[in-house]
Amino acid sequence: MELLKQKIREVGVILSDEVIKLDAILNHAIDPVLTTAMGREFARLYRDEKVTKILTIESSGIPIAFAAAQELNVPLVFARRKKSLNTETETYCERVPSFTKGIVTDIMVSKEFLDEKDRVVLIDDFIANGDAARGLIRIIRRSGATLLGLGIAVEKSFQAGGRTIRESGIRVESLVKIGSLAGGEIRFE
């Protein structure tokens, strides 16, 4: 997706050979035009799959997932990272490490919002090692829902996440693949 590549070139801050900061468009501030375009592209990619729900994880995946859900006219469900006083007691829960945060967290989805009748597309902003995606995939499988595939805004293809999920037979659609951040330069695939 050329618009996303252009924005990454404009605002991306390379922190290391493995980490790029995209706070200006994905993780702290939201570019509504770009976000809407990403949602439209995911909707185009999955339109013929009879999607019934979009699933993401809080918080950075929510805007893109919302745009896709709106375009497909289906509900959006997001996995929570923390329990609150009003968190549903009947949840699917998985423990997942976060590459960028360097911590392990529990992610949970209420059983009320995901079941065997659902046909789900998982959408997120980034995939690096794929741990969060694999946690959500396990939740989808435990619910009995059908996983149609993943929609990832930015795949760091020099890390194993997207590749290993594809190798397991799951469809992964990435809008942009970054092949390298070495030497402080963004190289797209």
Side-chain angles (χ1 to χ4, degrees):
M1 179 176 194
E2 282 306 314
L3 177 59
L4 181 54
K5 285 181 183 178
Q6 175 188 334
K7 291 290 189 174
I8 290 170
R9 285 185 197 103
E10 288 173 15
V11 303
V13 178
I14 299 171
L15 300 179
S16 73
D17 286 354
E18 294 186 336
V19 179
I20 183 168
K21 184 176 172 183
L22 295 175
D23 283 3
I25 57 173
L26 290 177
N27 307 115
H28 195 69
I30 304 301
D31 179 324
V33 172
L34 175 62
T35 301
T36 300
M38 289 187 289
R40 277 193 191 116
E41 182 60 10
F42 286 132
R44 183 190 69 76
L45 290 165
Y46 285 99
R47 187 165 316 281
D48 296 333
E49 299 295 327
K50 298 181 182 144
V51 178
T52 64
K53 289 211 175 115
I54 299 292
L55 178 66
T56 192
I57 188 168
E58 66 178 2
S59 63
S60 299
I62 293 173
I64 304 164
F66 176 84
Q70 183 176 36
E71 190 72 20
L72 290 168
N73 195 30
V74 298
L76 164 64
V77 175
F78 64 90
R80 293 178 176 261
R81 290 188 185 269
K82 294 180 182 173
K83 279 192 174 187
S84 64
L85 290 176
N86 62 354
T87 298
E88 190 67 34
T89 56
E90 293 290 317
T91 61
Y92 301 106
C93 187
E94 288 289 330
R95 183 155 282 197
V96 297
S98 168
F99 175 77
T100 50
K101 293 182 179 82
I103 59 171
V104 175
T105 61
D106 289 331
I107 58 173
M108 61 205 89
V109 174
S110 171
K111 290 183 179 183
E112 175 183 356
F113 299 120
L114 197 60
D115 63 38
E116 68 280 348
K117 294 182 295 293
D118 288 312
R119 296 176 55 80
V120 179
V121 174
L122 194 166
I123 292 183
D124 208 359
D125 59 338
F126 269 97
I127 191 165
N129 292 327
D131 294 315
R134 277 190 291 279
L136 288 171
I137 290 166
R138 289 190 299 271
I139 286 173
I140 292 166
R141 288 186 173 148
R142 284 180 37 221
S143 77
T146 300
L147 174 62
L148 301 170
L150 279 64
I152 304 295
V154 180
E155 178 179 344
K156 294 194 286 180
S157 58
F158 58 89
Q159 291 175 289
R163 178 178 41 79
T164 58
I165 291 171
R166 281 184 191 93
E167 288 171 354
S168 73
I170 297 171
R171 178 181 175 186
V172 179
E173 298 285 353
S174 299
L175 300 182
V176 167
K177 291 182 182 179
I178 295 177
S180 173
L181 296 170
E185 185 180 336
I186 302 166
R187 290 180 192 85
F188 295 105
E189 277 191 25

